[in-house]
Amino acid sequence: GDSVTQMEGPVTLSEEAFLTINCTYTATGYPSLFWYVQYPGEGLQLLLKATKADDKGSNKGFEATYRKETTSFHLEKGSVQVSDSAVYFCALSDHSGGGADGLTFGKGTHLIIQP
Amino acid sequence: DGGITQSPKYLFRKEGQNVTLSCEQNLNHDAMYWYRQDPGQGLRLIYYSQIVNDFQKGDIAEGYSVSREKKESFPLTVTSAQKNPTAFYLCASSIISQQPQHFGDGTRLSIL
């Protein structure tokens, strides 16, 4: 079955540091890939997405490139801020089965940015 | 503004009791989903519905039930058969498959 693996957290960085959160996936078809962010006590918000190989998703200074050859979708940001502290989820939607059958999520990475 | 509304924000269940979590969307989305979130576990799919009057089991459907009588509503019932119901429950919707899902703010269920 499909699966998503993210780096374990918490990840603690200083403000203005460079961020990378690793994400790799296993899928039977040709998935779309997503990064979601969750702030304390809230639901998930879509951060960025990519629907095919070599696509780059970007939003709010975050970027991730869909790498089919390495089955990866690593999240990066050049200079993090305290307000970026949250839990980040990598997810995929596999179209091979057809229909709206939900996302497969990684376990989440808790990011802590210190001033 | 369009969005997904989950209620209540906090819910407590007594032993042997069924409880129902509400999810309403005004985004005119066809597909709706319920996920369960446990610490360190990520999100797991409970049920999903692609269209009114139709729904499918997800990965962890045992002890849960749903209905989809209206396009905008997808309530989740946590039955007494669910022996470990304490979790954060998230409802989501999307236009069609392959589109990103929009999430509500969640309901936190605890056992008294």
Side-chain angles (χ1 to χ4, degrees):
Chain A
D2 298 341
S3 66
V4 175
T5 303
Q6 298 180 230
M7 59 192 296
E8 296 284 331
V11 173
T12 303
L13 297 172
S14 297
E15 205 166 20
E16 299 183 2
F18 184 87
L19 168 71
T20 299
I21 300 178
N22 290 337
C23 171
T24 57
Y25 68 89
T26 302
T28 53
Y30 302 93
S32 293
L33 301 173
F34 307 89
W35 277 102
Y36 282 86
V37 58
Q38 184 179 36
Y39 298 100
E42 298 183 6
L44 275 65
Q45 300 175 25
L46 177 67
L47 183 58
L48 53 84
K49 67 172 182 176
T51 58
K52 61 183 187 296
D54 300 324
D55 270 0
K56 177 185 283 188
S58 61
N59 186 26
K60 299 180 181 179
F62 290 91
E63 293 183 340
T65 300
Y66 189 142
R67 302 288 188 196
K68 191 170 186 294
E69 64 275 14
T70 54
T71 61
S72 65
F73 192 55
H74 305 321
L75 183 68
E76 297 181 335
K77 186 175 185 181
S79 177
V80 293
Q81 306 299 314
V82 173
S83 57
D84 294 327
S85 299
V87 180
Y88 292 81
F89 290 93
C90 185
L92 71 81
S93 174
D94 190 343
H95 318 317
S96 61
D101 55 358
L103 294 168
T104 300
F105 285 88
K107 292 185 177 182
T109 302
H110 187 194
L111 175 65
I112 300 169
I113 306 301
Q114 296 178 334
Chain B
D1 287 341
I4 300 177
T5 301
Q6 290 188 242
S7 61
K9 193 171 180 64
Y10 300 96
L11 187 58
F12 298 91
R13 194 192 88 169
K14 296 180 181 178
E15 293 290 337
Q17 184 182 44
N18 294 352
V19 291
T20 298
L21 285 62
S22 171
C23 178
E24 303 278 333
Q25 55 101 355
N26 60 3
L27 299 166
N28 200 32
H29 287 174
D30 288 310
M32 297 187 74
Y33 314 81
W34 274 105
Y35 293 91
R36 170 179 171 139
Q37 185 178 19
D38 295 283
Q41 293 292 319
L43 278 74
R44 292 180 291 170
L45 182 66
I46 305 172
Y47 269 96
Y48 64 97
S49 169
Q50 299 181 34
I51 196 169
V52 174
N53 292 322
D54 184 61
F55 48 83
Q56 305 295 328
K57 292 182 179 180
D59 300 320
I60 55 165
E62 185 174 352
Y64 300 97
S65 66
V66 293
S67 63
R68 187 83 188 277
E69 298 176 359
K70 298 185 296 182
K71 186 176 184 178
E72 59 270 24
S73 179
F74 192 42
L76 173 74
T77 297
V78 184
T79 74
S80 57
Q82 173 50 245
K83 298 307 180 187
N84 184 25
T86 297
F88 192 49
Y89 290 86
L90 287 161
C91 180
S93 70
S94 66
I95 299 173
I96 55 172
S97 66
Q98 308 177 22
Q99 298 295 323
Q101 294 177 11
H102 299 259
F103 284 81
D105 284 338
T107 293
R108 188 166 297 282
L109 176 62
S110 302
I111 299 299
L112 287 177

